[in-house]
């Protein structure tokens, strides 16, 4: 008998197909009344597949009393109730490492764009403005100061790329990270005040909520740029919009927002911001590697082995 797996939210089509071949997969997102469905069928599920932006909250886990494994597509775990998973001894797999390079690549692309105005220059040409004017002078990146908020696996991949741009690198982290010569700066406001570019690559969740506060943005200052590839919740979005409107920072490049897919209307009116629809890991190669890990973690669980990339 195939194991019963509940699917929370849409996944990559190829992954949905592969899951449906191997398991008795039930897409919860297709249910018109998910709560009623779960009341009736919740106890029949052995596993749950989800993704980082969708996760699995306490209410969902409570509705699945026989759940033993969660396999999540993504590295973020801010939407997974890990406390409850630990308490109930539910194993949790996720997809770290395979996306580091693509997220770091995009962070760099975003940094270059917001400093040099690539997307804005493209709009300038398309509007026909080049026929009458010169595109405004931009800001140099090479040799500048890069502040990294969170020197985890993705932060380290960003730092490696910055070496190629001869940037000076400093970082904040809960603890100084061993094995790197980059300068550890204990104070986030201190890092922001020093940096020309402040890149956020810290994990999301309650502990990092609004870490990039009004004060940190004030410290970043009129010549500083903010780049966020982590979670929208890490930034006080209202303070950021105020800083962009008031031009108290130079600009921001954002791949993540507090209430995705909704982007604050005031933000969209600013010309000193790049807004992207959460695409950092979104390449065919990386998404395929993430899908493989989602499957490998499920297979490992159901064959009684250790998960390949366990979170819990
Ligand atoms: C998403 C992400 O998983 O890994 C994460 O934490 O946020 C992304 O990689 C991806 O967008 C799929 O929804």
């Amino acid at each position: 008998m195939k194991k019963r797996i509940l699917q929370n939210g849409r996944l990559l089509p190829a992954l949905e197909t592969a899951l449906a071949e191997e398991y008795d997969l039930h897409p919860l997102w297709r249910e018109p009344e998910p709560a009623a469905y779960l009341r009736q069928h919740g106890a029949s599920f052995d596993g749950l597949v989800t993704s980082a932006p969708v996760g699995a909250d306490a209410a969902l886990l409570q509705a699945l009393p026989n759940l033993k494994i969660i396999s999540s597509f993504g590295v973020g775990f801010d939407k997974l109730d890990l406390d409850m998973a630990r308490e109930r001894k539910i194993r949790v797999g996720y997809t770290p490492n395979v996306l580091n390079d693509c997220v770091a690549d995009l962070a760099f692309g975003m940094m270059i764009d917001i400093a040099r105005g690539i997307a804005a220059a493209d709009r300038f040409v398309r509007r026909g403005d080049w026929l009458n004017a010169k595109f405004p002078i931009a800001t140099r990146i090479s040799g500048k100061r890069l502040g990294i908020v969170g020197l985890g696996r993705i932060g380290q991949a960003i730092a490696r790329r910055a070496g190629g741009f001869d940037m000076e690198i400093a970082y904040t982290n809960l603890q100084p990270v061993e094995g790197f010569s980059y300068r550890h700066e204990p104070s986030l406001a201190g890092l922001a005040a020093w940096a020309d570019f402040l890149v956020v690559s810290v994990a999301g969740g309650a502990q990092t909520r609004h870490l990039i506060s009004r004060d940190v943005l004030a410290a970043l200052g009129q010549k500083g740029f903010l780049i966020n590839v982590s979670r929208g919740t890490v930034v006080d979005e209202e303070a950021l919009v105020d800083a962009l409107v008031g031009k108290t920072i130079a600009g921001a490049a954002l791949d993540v927002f507090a209430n995705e897919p909704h982007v604050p209307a005031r933000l969209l009116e600013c010309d000193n911001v790049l807004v992207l629809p959460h695409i950092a890991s979104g390449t065919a190669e990386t998404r395929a590697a993430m899908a493989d890990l989602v499957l490998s973690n499920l297979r490992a669980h159901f064959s009684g082995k250790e998960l390949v990339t366990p979170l819990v």
Side-chain angles (χ1 to χ4, degrees):
M1 264 239 309
K2 283 182 175 177
K3 297 287 181 190
R4 290 268 287 158
I5 304 275
L6 186 70
Q7 180 187 338
N8 196 21
R10 295 297 320 242
L11 293 167
L12 204 64
L15 176 58
E16 290 183 354
T17 306
L19 285 165
E21 274 168 19
E22 251 174 273
Y23 301 102
D24 179 4
L25 184 75
H26 189 86
L28 185 61
W29 53 268
R30 268 210 206 118
E31 287 301 328
E33 293 197 44
Y37 174 84
L38 287 173
R39 267 195 301 278
Q40 222 184 332
H41 302 282
S44 67
F45 290 100
D46 308 285
L48 175 75
V49 280
T50 184
S51 61
V54 175
D57 61 13
L60 178 59
L61 298 189
Q62 272 154 2
L64 302 168
N66 296 317
L67 189 68
K68 293 284 178 294
I69 170 81
I70 300 172
S71 189
S72 180
F73 183 90
V75 70
F77 46 83
D78 48 312
K79 296 240 170 107
L80 291 169
D81 192 326
L82 295 184
D83 289 340
M84 187 172 290
R86 276 190 202 101
E87 213 173 279
R88 285 188 31 205
K89 301 203 169 16
I90 300 168
R91 298 163 102 189
V92 183
Y94 70 146
T95 68
N97 289 319
V98 293
L99 43 63
N100 298 347
D101 284 336
C102 279
V103 176
D105 290 351
L106 193 81
F108 245 89
M110 291 163 68
M111 197 188 319
I112 298 174
D113 180 283
I114 197 62
R116 299 296 307 271
I118 300 174
D122 177 90
R123 291 192 293 271
F124 178 87
V125 173
R126 288 173 198 269
R127 278 196 309 265
D129 289 1
W130 197 15
L131 301 171
N132 309 309
K134 292 246 187 270
F135 189 69
I137 292 293
T139 302
R140 178 185 168 107
I141 289 195
S142 290
K144 291 288 183 73
R145 294 171 167 182
L146 176 66
I148 302 178
V149 182
L151 195 71
R153 293 172 288 228
I154 292 171
Q156 290 165 24
I158 293 171
R160 282 198 296 279
R161 282 153 181 75
F165 287 78
D166 303 319
M167 297 180 95
E168 273 183 72
I169 300 165
Y171 70 97
T172 53
N173 206 57
L174 287 176
Q175 305 285 337
V177 186
E178 304 255 315
F180 295 99
S181 55
Y182 316 129
R183 183 171 67 81
H184 175 253
E185 166 62 61
S187 139
L188 176 54
L191 185 77
W194 171 86
D196 299 303
F197 297 92
L198 192 67
V199 179
V200 185
S201 52
V202 79
Q207 284 179 335
T208 55
R209 190 172 179 276
H210 289 193
L211 197 65
I212 307 298
S213 61
R214 210 168 274 278
D215 289 348
V216 170
L217 292 167
L220 184 59
Q222 276 182 338
K223 292 196 167 164
F225 293 90
L226 180 78
I227 294 95
N228 189 5
V229 288
S230 81
R231 283 293 179 265
T233 50
V234 179
V235 176
D236 178 343
E237 226 166 49
E238 211 176 294
L240 176 62
V241 176
D242 288 345
L244 289 165
V245 171
K247 301 216 166 17
T248 56
I249 66 168
L254 311 168
D255 187 43
V256 285
F257 301 88
N259 184 25
E260 294 174 10
H262 303 283
V263 176
R266 280 173 73 215
L267 199 57
L268 296 178
E269 286 162 19
C270 298
D271 58 3
N272 48 353
V273 63
L274 174 73
V275 285
L276 300 179
H278 201 147
I279 56 170
S281 70
T283 64
E285 296 87 342
T286 286
R287 290 280 166 90
M290 292 163 70
D292 280 349
L293 276 178
V294 168
L295 291 165
S296 301
N297 280 322
L298 284 174
R299 286 182 195 133
H301 170 77
F302 288 119
S303 53
K305 296 192 187 126
E306 287 297 309
L307 299 192
V308 182
T309 43
L311 178 60
V312 167

